[in-house]
Amino acid sequence: MTNKPDSYAGFNDYNPLLDSEGLKYDTDLQQAVLKTSHGRRAPPTSQKGGFLSKMKNAFTRQKHPDVPASTTNTTGRLGTASKAALQQQQSTLVNAPLGSTARRPTTAQKRPTTAIQGAGFMAGVGAFGSHVATAGPNQFEKKEESNEDKARKMEKRIIDLVDESCLAYERNDNKLALEKAEEAMQTDKSLGRYREEQNMNESDLNLTGCVILHCANMYTKCGMNTEALNQYNVILKNKLIPVHNRIRLNIGNIFLHSKQYVKALKMYRMTLDQISDQNADLKFKIRENIAATHIITGQYAEAIQAYESIAQERPNYRSCFNLFLCYYTLGQRDKARTAFSELLKIPFVKSEDEPVISIDKENKQTSLLSEAIRDDRLRQYERKRRRFAEHIIITAAKLIGNSAEGDFVGGYEWCIEQVRASPYLELASGLEIQKAIAYLRDDNFSKAIATLKEFEKAEARLAGAASTNLSFLYFLEKDLNNAHKYADLALRSDKFNPSSLINKGNCCFAQNDYDKARYYYEEALNIDAGSVEALHNLILTLIKSNQYQRVKDYLHKYMTIQPANSQVFCLMGQVLQQTNDIDHAKSWYLQALSTHRTDGYLHRHIGELLDHQGDKADALQYYFDAYRHNPSDMETLQWLASYYIEAQFPDKAVEFCAQAALVKPGEIKWHLMVASCYRRVGDYTAALEKYKWIHQHFPDDTDCIQFLIKIATDLSLPDRELYENELKKVNKRKEIQQQRKTSAEKSRNLIHGRKVTSTERDVSLNARLPVTDERRKRTPIDLDNTEGVFSPPEHVSVRPYVDQFPKHMVSERPKTAISKKDANTIEFDDNDDAAELLPD
């Protein structure tokens, strides 16, 4: 088999004879050219020629002037070809199409035609029988842009700006969308002026109306109602869009948002009159807007008329529910129930009612189709509509049940019966749970528990919900065993229920099992990362476990979920206070205080931190603010009283001690402090009156009697002997009471077969006897006894406060003698337990 000749062989070979660079310097060639017929021709008029033509012009020799010059721009060829042949070849070159091989130089082997078209150059016959390329007309020459072209470019720019504005609005970038819309409107105005200047046709009104309408809509989205109204009025005045009457609907919406309800109703009615009956859907929506406006203005009768006509012609969930709310507001219970029944009659197509596609495992196309339509947009919209309908029905049932006058059970029962007879049968169980919650609001826990227990054998979803509620109820009643039980049942029904996990964690937390509680809270957070209850309880659990670093991390997450919750700031301050980071703790408390400026407890916490740092002046200011906002806080009153006592300002301490005595009138300590402050100030009259009041209300208090004796002695009052006798009587009663208690303990020990030794008896007596003056040690500041601070040491010392006697001992007359007892008998005290005398 012979090899085929290569069609492209030889084209890349270079022939030295074709080198045209040095021809103009070759004298022999020049002389030979001058002797030929080409050299004897006249020079061409055009300077556009080949290289040989330029060389001929350089010689400017013409041997035969009678020979006519060539009228073409092509140069002649060398050789002795006839004139007819030359003309035939030239005509062939002129008539040949662009990109053909007729104009290509003749070679030893013809070159095949390629797909590349000619560049627009003309070819002439040159030296050595070759074709010399000459420049043809320039097809890339830039044409002058016309006015119409400029106008069309501006129109395209306007459309592009509107598209960019729409895309920016879809990305929720309202600022950029408004900027693009305004730029499009400015460009449209520039286009109109340009057409007027160039005396062109008017611009397209539809384009102008579209741009202005879009800009007005962007003004409305950005809340610029005045600018939007101006643009809408321009459209209405010039009738820039075909359906300009619908613009009144947008204007009515703006008036409605601006709370100009009369103007909104006017615009809605004008739009309703001008829209044809062919747009029935739009007319129904406008009627719904009119009815909603009546509800906002409180015109429920007009709203009822509008909604009744809508419900008769085209019932829907929103309109029927609004009609129900109007009846409920006006107190028309029977009509409200009728509206609820009409609401249940609205048809709803379930997903289960649709034809089920038979899935064949071998048919992959059917399997892919079923997977594609399982969660497509249509199914998502259907589920959303279903949830909306269920929410409306359950809300209406709650209103009917709770509005029943004294018989909410009957209201719920009626709703449950109606729901069971409707296509929404599965909502009846949910209403049963709502009835149990109504029992809880009525503080009827037993019936609520009984109602919820009926769901234990129901389907898994309802059983889980009922068990979750039961666990929470038992936890509130501090019945941790049942709370654990039902929390476990709820977890068996649905182990991914965050509420059940939180209930289980709460039970473990109440039993001080913080490890298990932390586990359940973390599991609840893994299922629902936004569960605030689980996060808050987990933080408290970690605080109990002293894991402060993890607490800080979770508090930062808590702050991200609820940035305005001041409780998070207080928790952070508490944790930092536990880690001795007082400065940062104070900053967090101040941040919480900026939200709740009237919270006395926050002022007190900040005062405690400043007092811990030794800044008494600032601490006093915060404690005083705490007292101003919460004057019944005992810790604040105690700190302020102690501060002024240490500062030797008893006149200022009187106010806080008196306030503490009002908060806790049963504690004699604060009354004694008030009297002591009066004594320190020098107001003995007020002090004497206060001590008398204390002795009248607390007659068995020896401290008060001793102060009365001291004041009577200082003022030389005749009541001194009376108070001394009172003191002796009180001491005698206390000794008798102590002896009776000792005798009772001795009798009890003998019953149990144990003899009390004298040493133990002495120790018991010494432990129970009141502290004597020699044994009492003074402290620098003791709110129970402030006499050491206010009074110098005197011969009459005040014993500290002791607990007052029981009420039955106040009026009882003390016994004056003890009857003789037989040696073999046992005397029992009144406090003896008779049950201990029974035989074993």
Side-chain angles (χ1 to χ4, degrees):
M1 181 176 180
T2 60
N3 296 328
K4 294 182 179 180
D6 189 3
S7 300
Y8 295 94
F11 282 96
N12 294 328
D13 297 338
Y14 179 75
N15 190 354
L17 296 177
L18 300 179
D19 188 9
S20 60
E21 295 293 334
L23 292 179
K24 61 182 178 178
Y25 304 107
D26 192 352
T27 57
D28 296 336
L29 178 62
Q30 293 175 6
Q31 294 296 330
V33 169
L34 291 175
K35 293 179 181 180
T36 61
S37 61
H38 181 78
R40 292 191 296 270
R41 294 177 182 176
T45 57
S46 176
Q47 295 299 326
K48 297 180 181 180
F51 173 75
L52 297 177
S53 299
K54 293 180 181 180
M55 187 173 63
K56 176 183 176 182
N57 294 336
F59 295 137
T60 64
R61 292 182 61 185
Q62 187 173 1
K63 294 291 185 68
H64 303 282
D66 56 339
V67 178
S70 176
T71 58
T72 61
N73 292 333
T74 58
T75 58
R77 69 175 179 86
L78 299 177
T80 59
S82 65
K83 185 177 181 180
L86 179 61
Q87 292 178 353
Q88 182 179 2
Q89 187 178 5
Q90 288 178 353
S91 63
T92 304
L93 292 173
V94 172
N95 297 327
L98 293 176
S100 65
T101 58
R103 297 180 181 179
R104 295 180 181 175
T106 305
T107 56
Q109 186 177 359
K110 290 185 177 181
R111 180 182 178 186
T113 305
T114 62
I116 301 176
Q117 297 181 355
F121 296 96
M122 298 297 293
V125 182
F128 309 109
S130 62
H131 295 271
V132 181
T134 58
N138 188 6
Q139 64 178 357
F140 296 104
E141 183 179 358
K142 186 176 181 180
K143 297 181 180 180
E144 186 178 356
E145 190 176 15
S146 63
N147 295 333
E148 289 293 339
D149 294 337
K150 292 181 180 179
R152 280 194 293 269
K153 283 187 178 180
M154 295 179 72
E155 289 178 356
K156 186 178 183 302
R157 175 60 180 166
I158 293 171
I159 296 173
D160 293 341
L161 287 172
V162 173
D163 292 340
E164 292 175 3
S165 176
C166 294
L167 293 175
Y169 177 72
E170 290 295 329
R171 297 193 301 267
N172 295 326
D173 192 354
N174 295 337
K175 181 180 179 181
L176 180 60
L178 181 60
E179 292 176 356
K180 294 293 182 181
E182 290 179 342
E183 186 178 355
M185 191 166 61
Q186 294 297 331
T187 308
D188 182 74
K189 292 180 180 179
S190 301
L191 176 60
R193 289 193 297 267
Y194 179 77
R195 286 183 178 273
E196 291 178 0
E197 293 173 358
Q198 300 299 328
N199 294 325
M200 300 172 63
N201 296 329
E202 294 182 358
S203 59
D204 189 5
L205 294 180
N206 291 332
L207 178 61
T208 303
C210 175
V211 172
I212 297 177
L213 178 61
H214 176 70
C215 187
N217 290 335
M218 287 298 103
Y219 281 137
T220 305
K221 298 296 182 183
C222 296
M224 304 169 66
N225 295 330
T226 305
E227 292 80 357
L229 286 175
N230 294 334
Q231 299 302 325
Y232 285 136
N233 290 327
V234 170
I235 297 174
L236 289 176
K237 182 179 180 181
N238 300 322
K239 297 182 179 180
L240 297 177
I241 60 176
V243 286
H244 60 277
N245 293 327
R246 294 190 182 183
I247 299 300
R248 300 185 186 278
L249 180 61
N250 293 356
I251 296 175
N253 293 334
I254 292 177
F255 284 140
L256 183 64
H257 288 102
S258 302
K259 297 182 180 181
Q260 302 179 21
Y261 303 116
V262 178
K263 293 182 179 180
L265 286 172
K266 179 181 177 181
M267 286 296 170
Y268 286 147
R269 290 194 175 100
M270 290 176 65
T271 308
L272 187 64
D273 295 337
Q274 294 174 0
I275 292 178
S276 62
D277 294 335
Q278 296 177 355
N279 299 324
D281 295 337
L282 182 59
K283 296 190 74 171
F284 269 106
K285 291 181 180 179
I286 296 173
R287 291 166 62 184
E288 288 180 352
N289 288 358
I290 293 174
T293 308
H294 284 305
I295 290 179
I296 295 174
T297 56
Q299 301 174 0
Y300 298 109
E302 292 79 359
I304 287 174
Q305 293 178 2
Y307 279 126
E308 282 179 348
S309 62
I310 295 173
Q312 290 176 1
E313 298 177 14
R314 187 178 295 183
N316 58 79
Y317 293 110
R318 192 179 300 275
S319 299
C320 292
F321 183 67
N322 289 340
L323 179 61
F324 167 81
L325 291 178
C326 291
Y327 286 138
Y328 178 80
T329 305
L330 295 178
Q332 301 177 5
R333 307 301 182 194
D334 296 335
K335 291 186 177 180
R337 294 194 175 191
T338 304
F340 181 76
S341 301
E342 295 295 329
L343 186 64
L344 296 175
K345 293 179 182 179
I346 299 176
F348 188 86
V349 180
K350 299 182 182 179
S351 301
E352 294 78 6
D353 297 339
E354 298 178 357
V356 181
I357 300 176
S358 59
I359 300 177
D360 189 2
K361 295 182 179 180
E362 298 180 357
N363 192 351
K364 294 183 178 180
Q365 185 176 1
T366 306
S367 301
L368 293 176
L369 177 61
S370 62
E371 290 293 333
I373 67 175
R374 180 176 298 177
D375 195 24
D376 57 355
R377 291 186 178 180
L378 184 59
R379 291 297 179 92
Q380 293 176 3
Y381 172 75
E382 180 186 351
R383 286 196 294 267
K384 182 179 179 181
R385 183 168 174 262
R386 178 74 178 183
R387 288 194 297 268
F388 178 73
E390 292 177 355
H391 172 70
I392 283 180
I393 292 171
I394 291 177
T395 304
K398 288 181 182 178
L399 292 174
I400 292 176
N402 296 327
S403 64
E405 299 176 355
D407 187 17
F408 64 89
V409 179
Y412 274 108
E413 290 292 341
W414 182 85
C415 293
I416 291 170
E417 292 177 0
Q418 295 295 322
V419 170
R420 285 176 178 170
S422 68
Y424 305 93
L425 177 61
E426 62 274 9
L427 297 180
S429 301
L431 292 178
E432 290 282 354
I433 295 178
Q434 294 298 326
K435 184 175 72 173
I437 295 175
Y439 279 125
L440 292 179
R441 293 195 187 97
D442 198 38
D443 295 334
N444 196 342
F445 292 96
S446 59
K447 290 188 177 180
I449 293 173
T451 305
L452 292 173
K453 282 185 177 180
E454 296 177 359
F455 293 93
E456 292 183 8
K457 297 182 180 180
E459 57 178 316
R461 182 175 63 88
L462 296 176
S467 300
T468 303
N469 291 330
L470 284 171
S471 176
F472 180 69
L473 287 177
Y474 282 119
F475 179 78
L476 292 179
E477 292 182 347
K478 297 182 180 180
D479 189 354
L480 297 181
N481 294 328
N482 286 323
H484 273 292
K485 171 186 174 183
Y486 286 101
D488 293 335
L489 288 176
L491 289 176
R492 289 196 199 109
S493 301
D494 184 9
K495 63 180 179 180
F496 298 106
N497 187 2
S499 300
S500 302
L501 291 169
I502 293 173
N503 287 341
K504 185 68 175 178
N506 292 340
C507 296
C508 297
F509 185 89
Q511 293 178 343
N512 299 329
D513 193 353
Y514 302 121
D515 294 334
K516 288 185 178 180
R518 184 174 65 251
Y519 167 75
Y520 287 113
Y521 293 144
E522 289 176 350
E523 287 295 321
L525 281 177
N526 292 334
I527 297 171
D528 184 8
S531 178
V532 179
E533 296 83 0
L535 184 59
H536 186 87
N537 294 346
L538 178 60
I539 290 172
L540 297 180
T541 305
L542 293 175
I543 291 176
K544 291 290 185 180
S545 302
N546 298 327
Q547 301 182 21
Y548 297 114
Q549 186 58 41
R550 293 188 63 188
V551 171
K552 294 178 182 178
D553 297 337
Y554 282 114
L555 281 173
H556 286 297
K557 180 180 178 181
Y558 198 177
M559 199 178 308
T560 304
I561 299 175
Q562 293 184 349
N565 190 354
S566 59
Q567 192 172 8
V568 184
F569 305 147
C570 295
L571 286 174
M572 182 66 80
Q574 179 183 354
V575 172
L576 293 172
Q577 188 176 359
Q578 293 292 333
T579 56
N580 295 325
D581 193 355
I582 306 300
D583 295 332
H584 288 87
K586 183 174 66 176
S587 65
W588 284 101
Y589 281 128
L590 289 173
Q591 192 171 356
L593 187 62
S594 63
T595 307
H596 302 279
R597 297 184 178 275
T598 60
D599 193 340
Y601 294 102
L602 284 175
H603 284 89
R604 191 190 70 193
H605 279 300
I606 298 173
E608 289 178 356
L609 295 178
L610 293 172
D611 187 21
H612 182 74
Q613 290 180 335
D615 191 355
K616 293 285 186 181
D618 292 340
L620 175 63
Q621 181 62 40
Y622 280 103
Y623 269 107
F624 190 79
D625 291 339
Y627 168 70
R628 183 164 53 89
H629 294 300
N630 187 11
S632 60
D633 186 15
M634 290 300 299
E635 295 184 14
T636 302
L637 294 172
Q638 185 172 353
W639 190 92
L640 289 171
S642 176
Y643 173 80
Y644 284 114
I645 289 172
E646 290 181 359
Q648 297 294 327
F649 291 107
D651 52 340
K652 294 183 179 181
V654 170
E655 176 185 357
F656 305 106
C657 294
Q659 181 66 25
L662 289 176
V663 175
K664 290 188 176 181
E667 292 187 6
I668 193 175
K669 172 178 67 175
W670 301 106
H671 300 286
L672 292 174
M673 289 180 65
V674 172
S676 299
C677 291
Y678 285 140
R679 290 182 61 250
R680 179 58 178 170
V681 173
D683 191 356
Y684 289 97
T685 304
L688 181 60
E689 293 296 331
K690 186 64 177 177
Y691 281 127
K692 288 182 178 180
W693 184 90
I694 296 172
H695 180 63
Q696 181 180 359
H697 291 81
F698 302 94
D700 293 332
D701 185 74
T702 57
D703 297 334
C704 179
I705 298 174
Q706 289 181 3
F707 282 123
L708 286 171
I709 294 172
K710 183 177 181 304
I711 292 178
T713 303
D714 294 340
L715 299 179
S716 300
L717 298 177
D719 298 334
R720 174 183 176 183
E721 296 181 358
L722 177 63
Y723 294 130
E724 289 179 350
N725 294 331
E726 289 288 338
L727 181 61
K728 292 179 182 179
K729 292 179 181 179
V730 171
N731 290 332
K732 186 65 175 179
R733 286 199 296 269
K734 289 183 178 181
E735 290 178 0
I736 294 172
Q737 184 180 11
Q738 186 62 39
Q739 290 178 1
R740 295 180 64 187
K741 289 183 179 179
T742 305
S743 176
E745 291 180 358
K746 179 180 178 182
S747 302
R748 189 177 296 109
N749 291 330
L750 289 176
I751 290 172
H752 291 286
R754 180 175 177 271
K755 184 177 181 181
V756 181
T757 61
S758 60
T759 305
E760 293 178 351
R761 187 184 303 107
D762 295 339
V763 172
S764 177
L765 288 174
N766 293 330
R768 295 182 178 274
L769 285 176
V771 182
T772 59
D773 298 341
E774 292 78 12
R775 293 175 57 187
R776 185 176 59 84
K777 295 182 180 180
R778 295 182 179 271
T779 57
I781 296 297
D782 186 6
L783 294 180
D784 294 336
N785 180 20
T786 58
E787 294 301 325
V789 179
F790 295 147
S791 303
E794 298 180 7
H795 63 280
V796 179
S797 59
V798 181
R799 290 181 296 180
Y801 168 73
V802 293
D803 295 334
Q804 60 183 357
F805 290 112
K807 294 182 179 180
H808 68 277
M809 293 293 297
V810 176
S811 59
E812 183 180 359
R813 179 177 179 274
K815 297 180 181 181
T816 58
I818 301 175
S819 59
K820 296 181 180 180
K821 298 180 287 293
D822 296 335
N824 297 328
T825 59
I826 299 176
E827 183 178 351
F828 300 98
D829 192 73
D830 295 337
N831 295 327
D832 291 340
D833 191 359
E836 297 179 355
L837 302 179
L838 297 176
D840 294 335

